[in-house]
Amino acid sequence: MDAQSHNAALAELRAVRDEIKRTRAALAKLEADRDQRIVHLAAYGKAKAERIAPAAGLSVADIVTLAPTLAPESLTAPAPAPASETTPPLPESDALQSGPRPADAAAAGPAPQAATAAPPTPGNQMPDAELPAAEGIPGEPVPDRPAALDDPRELPSIPEGTAGDGWFSHTPKLLSQHPNFTQQARSTVFLDTDTGVLVHRQQTHHLDLSDASVAAILNAVFHVLPEGVERIYITGGDPWHRDADRYPYLRDAVAAWLNAPTPGWRTDTGRGRDRMAGHFVHARNPVGRYQRDNADQHVEIRSVGEWFDVAGADPATVRDAFVLLWQALRRHWDDAVIMGSPSQTGRDLWTRTIPQRGQHADGFPVLSEELRGLLHATAGQGRNELLLPPRVPDQLPQLLEYDRTFAYAKHTWKSPVGTPRRITAQTFAAWSEKEQTRALYGCGHWQIRVTVPDTWNHVGILPAPASGDRAWHYPAAPGTTFTTWAGGPEVHTALTNPLAPWKIEILDGILWDDGKPLDDWAKKLKEAWTNLSAQAHFQGDPQQARAAHLASRAVRSILLYGIGGFAQRPRMVTGTTPRTAERDVPPDAEIIGFDDELITWQKPTGFSRDPNAHPEWAASIWSGARAALLTQRHRDDNTYAGALHTAPGTVVAFRTDALYLTAPQHWPHHNQPGDYLLKGHLAGPVTAPTTEEELLALRDAGRTALTQNGGQA
């Protein structure tokens, strides 16, 4: 480029700049005009936010913000007066007490009932139930719409008297039972949309994908494989992010990619036993389902990132990983089939371990909807906490990452079974100390009032509700008192930790019998994981070693996401409606995107009649895993590990099953589930992270540094 062409390019750039300014000004003017029109419409006596929202292309919450008079009555009605406390305090030991339920909690009433699904609307719907909730997905944070900052949540309570006692039952005619059918495998291919490499069985093809749109992918794949396939795994390229810079949020870009025109194809409406239909709009790992026009031919496009981090592996290696995974599972299940997601696969394999004779041969009944709702609202998953200065130094001497190997597999040996019992404060107080201890060691979920010891100088132990939906924090300031729900492992840790016992008042509780519904399933998965990990270590062929490592990570995902699937969170349905039928958008839906043809929306639909919904199992495992982050015993080594066995001020962060510390630890690691493995070490001084993004950047740098140093801290 010479000086003349350089100056010409600068002039063109200035023209683009000016056009951007004009466009932004025009957009601001249009938005102001839209807001004025909304306010004007709100003056109509019968105006409703849910009618105005689709016309404006905004959510109901946005409309209410502009026109507060349109807020639903349930959001503007005054809160009920606090109920009076009628139960007298019961004397107990200094640490463990049973006391009256907090009046504010009692007034909160029962957990919200599941919403009833709206009548079918034009377009397509798909329950986003294949992946665990975002909180349950380990890995990178998913940038999406910012969460609202509310006052700290008030957790629900069990109603007093017979109303609450009625919750302690099972849903009629809903049981987890051994399947009476053979799961069918689906023809699968693996595609890298960056390179165009497609692997089908032992064959490799090179495709011209042009813009990597859905239409381009389907046309190219079915051109080289005219007999068709049923599942396309994307191993690289993330084509759903190609136009991400055109949208404010990744979900919008993904929705646009999934719903783009696909001549000759339409959105799948479901078939077979799984009946999964429509698209799953997820910022990182979406699922697109399509059906050929006028033909019974179905195909889904999925991200292999649901299973493991590919980290640059080519499609052939990824395919080999799935072959090794299938072979490892077949050693334990002669009818094992790899389904679309690890969550689906995990639940299917578990059902095939349900006894067909003897105890539980009739199946495992599903809890009442009320108790499932209570567990959903009060039982969080992984602990994710970043400690900020002055709780840690501004300059860290070093940063070490200790990750619990295959952590959740450590906590599946015991789970709740049978009909749950309600343990009121009075009942608990009437028990002997031995009975109380046995109950807290058992499978229970407890409503408690907690007081942090006056001498406490370490990290928090028990979760407390914070602002934002399903958000938790861990109070640690001496003398702090709060009311929360927690599982038995965490309550027991608070009472018996190695530093100082916390004061716990039992307000209410749910107690089950101890059982082993997951033990056989988890043991088989642990054996498969051990065998694949050994193959990855001893395999001489680098590609096969890599494939075995990926397969071992897939087994981990099957167990991890299978447990998340048991939680059965209330479903969120994503759907589309033609612009010409705006009135048919469900009134409680949130508009998440629109174009000239379609409106894309999502709405909650409550709990489904899922026979494999067992949130009590997931809650028990998650509670045990959070407790083990604080303290766990290694019997063979006669030692303890965890955050409470470090010096005060050395814990920087918790992240699901990992600890970030400023001092090295000599905890035993025998490559067994639950063992702490040193995964990263960054020499200091290191500026203390103040955001999750900064922590993740330091984590990646620490892992790289440890690898370069040969794995030595």
Side-chain angles (χ1 to χ4, degrees):
M1 176 182 290
D2 56 22
Q4 184 176 1
S5 58
H6 177 72
N7 291 333
L10 284 175
E12 293 173 356
L13 182 60
R14 295 187 190 99
V16 171
R17 176 201 63 195
D18 295 340
E19 183 63 26
I20 290 174
K21 289 182 178 179
R22 284 192 293 270
T23 302
R24 284 177 175 166
L27 176 61
K29 184 177 180 181
L30 286 172
E31 289 178 338
D33 181 49
R34 176 200 62 193
D35 294 348
Q36 289 178 0
R37 292 174 183 272
I38 291 171
V39 173
H40 178 69
L41 287 168
Y44 175 53
K46 297 182 180 180
K48 294 184 178 180
E50 57 267 25
R51 287 290 308 278
I52 299 175
L58 297 175
S59 70
V60 172
D62 293 331
I63 300 300
V64 171
T65 300
L66 291 168
T69 57
L70 297 181
E73 292 183 2
S74 60
L75 297 180
T76 58
S84 61
E85 294 184 290
T86 58
T87 308
L90 299 171
E92 282 291 333
S93 65
D94 290 340
L96 177 61
Q97 299 183 3
S98 62
R101 290 154 49 96
D104 55 346
Q113 299 293 308
T116 302
T121 60
N124 61 80
Q125 302 181 19
M126 198 290 286
D128 293 351
E130 295 198 351
L131 297 178
E135 185 183 14
I137 303 176
E140 308 309 314
V142 179
D144 207 339
R145 287 170 176 76
L149 296 178
D150 305 315
D151 293 331
R153 291 173 299 132
E154 190 175 87
L155 298 181
S157 299
I158 304 170
E160 298 283 4
T162 57
D165 295 340
W167 290 17
F168 288 77
S169 62
H170 293 109
T171 302
K173 299 180 181 180
L174 194 61
L175 301 121
S176 303
Q177 295 180 310
H178 195 285
N180 57 4
F181 64 93
T182 300
Q183 195 66 254
Q184 297 298 311
R186 295 191 178 182
S187 175
T188 302
V189 297
F190 301 87
L191 172 65
D192 186 324
T193 58
D194 275 344
T195 63
V197 173
L198 174 78
V199 173
H200 177 233
R201 297 175 181 167
Q202 300 295 336
Q203 299 179 337
T204 300
H205 305 271
H206 294 273
L207 310 184
D208 180 7
L209 296 178
S210 61
D211 59 355
S213 64
V214 171
I217 291 173
L218 293 177
N219 290 335
V221 169
F222 281 81
H223 176 73
V224 300
L225 300 171
E227 70 278 10
V229 297
E230 295 177 279
R231 183 176 296 137
I232 302 171
Y233 274 124
I234 304 299
T235 66
D238 294 343
W240 38 82
H241 292 162
R242 290 296 176 95
D243 293 327
D245 56 343
R246 295 174 51 192
Y247 298 90
Y249 305 107
L250 282 180
R251 280 175 56 92
D252 294 339
V254 170
W257 186 83
L258 291 170
N259 290 302
T262 51
W265 296 83
R266 65 179 186 273
T267 301
D268 200 346
T269 54
R271 59 176 176 140
R273 291 180 179 273
D274 53 3
R275 297 191 181 280
M276 301 301 287
H279 307 316
F280 176 34
V281 182
H282 185 275
R284 299 291 181 184
N285 298 312
V287 181
R289 295 185 177 87
Y290 303 91
Q291 180 178 357
R292 191 183 287 277
D293 289 340
N294 304 317
D296 187 27
Q297 194 168 38
H298 306 255
V299 62
E300 60 182 11
I301 300 176
R302 311 186 72 108
S303 167
V304 82
E306 296 178 66
W307 292 87
F308 43 68
D309 181 5
V310 174
D314 59 70
T317 302
V318 174
R319 182 217 173 247
D320 289 347
F322 275 85
V323 171
L324 290 174
L325 171 64
W326 178 78
Q327 292 172 344
L329 296 177
R330 277 285 173 133
R331 295 188 184 99
H332 302 284
W333 289 274
D334 57 10
D335 55 353
V337 169
I338 298 177
M339 301 180 71
S341 71
S343 176
Q344 289 177 315
T345 306
R347 283 175 291 176
D348 180 69
L349 293 177
W350 173 74
T351 62
R352 297 174 193 279
T353 65
I354 297 175
Q356 294 182 278
R357 57 178 58 90
Q359 189 180 20
H360 304 304
D362 292 335
F364 295 95
V366 174
L367 291 176
S368 69
E369 192 168 298
E370 291 83 1
L371 279 187
R372 280 184 281 153
L374 180 74
L375 287 167
H376 164 63
T378 61
Q381 190 180 343
R383 178 170 180 169
N384 290 285
E385 181 184 24
L386 177 61
L387 281 71
L388 304 175
R391 295 182 66 183
V392 297
D394 290 314
Q395 293 295 314
L396 310 178
Q398 56 189 322
L399 184 64
L400 302 100
E401 177 192 7
Y402 287 91
D403 185 76
R404 296 187 68 224
T405 302
F406 204 11
Y408 286 179
K410 177 78 170 178
H411 307 285
T412 55
W413 65 277
K414 180 178 73 172
S415 300
V417 294
T419 303
R421 293 175 289 155
R422 182 177 190 176
I423 310 300
T424 64
Q426 295 91 333
T427 300
F428 191 86
W431 284 350
S432 67
E433 184 177 346
K434 183 177 181 179
E435 289 174 317
Q436 291 178 349
T437 301
R438 186 186 301 118
L440 293 179
Y441 261 121
C443 296
H445 191 58
W446 304 93
Q447 186 181 31
I448 53 179
R449 184 183 291 116
V450 184
T451 301
V452 182
D454 292 335
T455 58
W456 192 256
N457 66 343
H458 219 296
V459 297
I461 292 181
L462 292 164
S467 60
D469 183 36
R470 292 177 59 218
W472 304 88
H473 69 131
Y474 295 80
T480 301
T481 296
F482 58 95
T483 299
T484 190
W485 285 83
E490 292 168 285
V491 175
H492 190 266
T493 297
L495 291 168
T496 63
N497 71 82
L499 302 179
W502 286 32
K503 181 181 177 182
I504 305 293
E505 297 176 73
I506 301 295
L507 306 174
D508 213 339
I510 311 167
L511 188 63
W512 291 265
D513 293 334
D514 296 351
K516 294 181 177 292
L518 305 177
D519 194 43
D520 185 34
W521 173 71
K523 283 181 177 177
K524 291 178 177 180
L525 290 177
K526 284 187 278 190
E527 289 180 17
W529 172 79
T530 299
N531 291 335
L532 289 167
S533 297
Q535 287 186 53
H537 182 73
F538 294 108
Q539 174 63 250
D541 184 331
Q543 179 173 332
Q544 287 301 302
R546 177 68 174 153
H549 171 72
L550 295 179
S552 72
R553 300 297 291 174
V555 173
R556 174 184 178 274
S557 295
I558 289 174
L559 185 135
L560 175 66
Y561 295 155
I563 292 169
F566 288 127
Q568 203 246 333
R569 304 291 186 184
R571 291 189 175 196
M572 183 70 74
V573 167
T574 301
T576 58
T577 300
R579 288 293 296 268
T580 56
E582 285 187 5
R583 294 173 64 95
D584 294 323
V585 173
D588 56 343
E590 175 191 4
I591 307 299
I592 61 174
F594 61 90
D595 56 26
D596 292 339
E597 301 293 332
L598 295 172
I599 299 171
T600 303
W601 47 264
Q602 66 179 15
K603 75 183 192 73
T605 61
F607 294 101
S608 67
R609 283 186 59 84
D610 183 352
N612 297 323
H614 293 284
E616 69 276 18
W617 297 348
S620 177
I621 292 169
W622 293 338
S623 178
R626 290 194 299 268
L629 277 177
L630 298 167
T631 178
Q632 71 172 13
R633 183 185 178 191
H634 292 261
R635 288 182 174 84
D636 294 342
D637 300 277
N638 192 29
T639 188
Y640 290 84
L644 295 181
H645 300 279
T646 66
T650 60
V651 178
V652 176
F654 298 85
R655 186 165 171 78
T656 307
D657 50 14
L659 284 174
Y660 295 83
L661 308 173
T662 62
Q665 306 297 320
H666 301 289
W667 295 331
H669 185 270
H670 304 298
N671 203 39
Q672 294 298 311
D675 288 355
Y676 280 93
L677 173 67
L678 178 63
K679 292 190 68 173
H681 180 211
L682 197 60
V686 177
T687 301
T690 57
T691 65
E692 185 178 32
E693 289 72 20
E694 292 177 0
L695 174 66
L696 294 176
L698 293 176
R699 178 201 66 182
D700 295 341
R703 290 180 179 180
T704 301
L706 184 65
T707 301
Q708 292 174 347
N709 291 333
Q712 299 297 317

